[in-house]
């Protein structure tokens, strides 16, 4: 929300008060005097008027989890363990998953309470590469590479997938980089060749790779540099 709107929503300030307070340098956001009425105020921002705290600002939280297979990418599920069940954190209801994985897919999963950050990760426009290690039932032909680069037509969404980079590791194993996250995207791409995906593991999202120290089911907070990678 814009800073001037945030302030004028408070019963004590009229619009005129807000203008004067900003010009006089009496408003401070996250430790800096802000005079720009358009400055973005988030739920995580600490907003002060002189020495008075108007909003303390919630702590933003970011985690990477090594999702094991056999676990649901949801916050609640009546039957199965969910990704959030694996986290021993307070106020879990405030957290959400940024970029789901299928029940049997393993690998890097990001969890946060910062919706703006997770949107960057999931919006197709951001074109953030997601790298998967794939094992298949049938042989992976050399002709697959061009088809992945050209794109697959997905009738349900009426779209052609963005160019994807397939690196064939051997007859049944490949590394695939895609910039979208369509429903069952990797399985549908290999499905085009009637080739079933037997094992799928997400290794990285953008420049953020799964920490090799994390065993399946383990997680840790992201550090400040990692948060900036997304
Ligand atoms: N593509 C899939 O088919 N499944 C996943 O879990 C992720 C990408």
């Amino acid at each position: 929300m814009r800073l001037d709107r945030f302030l004028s929503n408070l019963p004590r300030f009229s619009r005129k008060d807000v203008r004067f307070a900003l010009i006089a340098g009496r408003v401070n956001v996250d430790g800096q005097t802000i005079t720009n009425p358009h400055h973005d105020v988030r739920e995580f921002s600490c907003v002060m008027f002189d020495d008075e705290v108007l909003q303390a600002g919630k702590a933003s939280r970011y985690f990477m989890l090594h999702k094991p297979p056999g676990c649901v990418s949801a916050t609640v599920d009546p039957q199965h363990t969910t990704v959030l069940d694996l986290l021993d954190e307070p106020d879990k209801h405030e957290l959400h998953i940024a970029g789901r994985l299928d029940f049997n897919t393993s690998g890097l999963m990001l969890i946060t309470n910062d919706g703006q950050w997770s949107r960057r990760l999931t919006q197709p426009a951001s074109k953030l590469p997601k790298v998967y290690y794939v094992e298949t039932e049938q042989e992976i032909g050399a002709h697959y590479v061009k088809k992945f680069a050209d794109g697959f037509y997905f009738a349900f969404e009426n779209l052609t997938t963005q160019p994807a980079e397939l690196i064939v590791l051997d007859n049944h194993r490949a590394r695939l980089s895609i910039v979208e996250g369509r429903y069952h995207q990797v399985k549908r791409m290999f499905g085009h060749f009637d080739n079933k995906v037997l094992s799928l593991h997400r290794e990285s999202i953008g420049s953020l790779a799964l920490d090799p120290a994390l065993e399946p089911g383990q997680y840790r907070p992201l550090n400040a540099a990692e948060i900036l990678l997304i």
Side-chain angles (χ1 to χ4, degrees):
M1 187 189 297
R2 284 168 50 148
L3 177 57
D4 57 354
R5 193 157 303 145
F6 169 88
L7 293 168
S8 56
N9 279 351
L10 301 172
R12 57 191 285 185
F13 293 122
S14 68
R15 285 182 185 212
K16 195 166 146 202
D17 294 334
V18 169
R19 267 203 315 277
F20 283 131
L22 288 170
I23 291 166
R26 299 177 70 183
V27 182
N28 180 300
V29 181
D30 295 329
Q32 281 193 311
T33 300
I34 303 292
T35 53
N36 176 6
H38 295 248
H39 186 88
D40 190 29
V41 174
R42 309 185 56 209
E43 55 186 324
F44 307 115
S45 311
C46 170
V47 186
M48 310 264 296
F49 176 66
D50 295 334
D51 289 332
E52 188 186 345
V53 176
L54 297 179
Q55 174 177 278
K58 252 200 308 192
S60 51
R61 298 189 285 163
Y62 310 86
F63 303 98
M64 75 156 70
L65 166 81
H66 185 163
K67 179 192 176 297
C71 154
V72 188
S73 288
T75 45
V76 281
D77 188 275
Q79 256 192 312
H80 298 106
T81 303
T82 71
V83 163
L84 281 194
D85 289 336
L86 299 170
L87 267 62
D88 183 16
E89 296 294 327
D91 300 319
K92 283 204 275 189
H93 62 277
E94 292 180 358
L95 299 172
H96 63 269
I97 296 156
R100 287 161 193 278
L101 292 174
D102 293 340
F103 185 68
N104 277 323
T105 303
S106 60
L108 177 61
M109 173 138 268
L110 298 172
I111 298 162
T112 182
N113 64 346
D114 183 347
Q116 204 165 306
W117 185 82
S118 60
R119 264 194 296 285
R120 275 205 294 280
L121 202 138
T122 49
Q123 268 171 358
S126 66
K127 300 222 166 149
L128 212 55
K130 288 115 194 150
V131 176
Y132 291 87
Y133 167 79
V134 192
E135 288 180 5
T136 60
E137 192 170 67
Q138 311 299 326
E139 282 199 9
I140 303 168
H143 62 291
Y144 281 32
V145 174
K146 182 170 184 315
K147 183 65 191 161
F148 275 82
D150 289 348
F152 297 84
Y153 177 66
F154 282 1
F156 182 74
E157 295 94 335
N158 187 25
L159 58 81
T160 300
T161 56
Q162 296 283 321
E165 188 190 9
L166 182 75
I167 298 170
V168 181
L169 301 174
D170 64 27
N171 286 348
H172 293 267
R173 300 183 311 132
R175 183 158 282 117
L176 174 65
S177 175
I178 57 175
V179 293
E180 303 146 289
R182 307 278 168 206
Y183 180 68
H184 292 332
Q185 178 158 345
V186 177
K187 290 174 190 155
R188 289 161 77 193
M189 288 167 135
F190 280 92
H192 171 85
F193 301 100
D194 283 329
N195 196 350
K196 189 173 172 191
V197 170
L198 298 181
S199 173
L200 189 57
H201 177 83
R202 186 157 63 195
E203 298 180 329
S204 61
I205 299 174
S207 313
L208 189 53
L210 178 63
D211 184 338
L214 292 177
E215 297 291 334
Q218 292 186 328
Y219 74 98
R220 67 161 174 81
L222 295 185
N223 61 41
E226 288 170 333
I227 294 163
L228 291 175
L229 288 176
I230 298 294

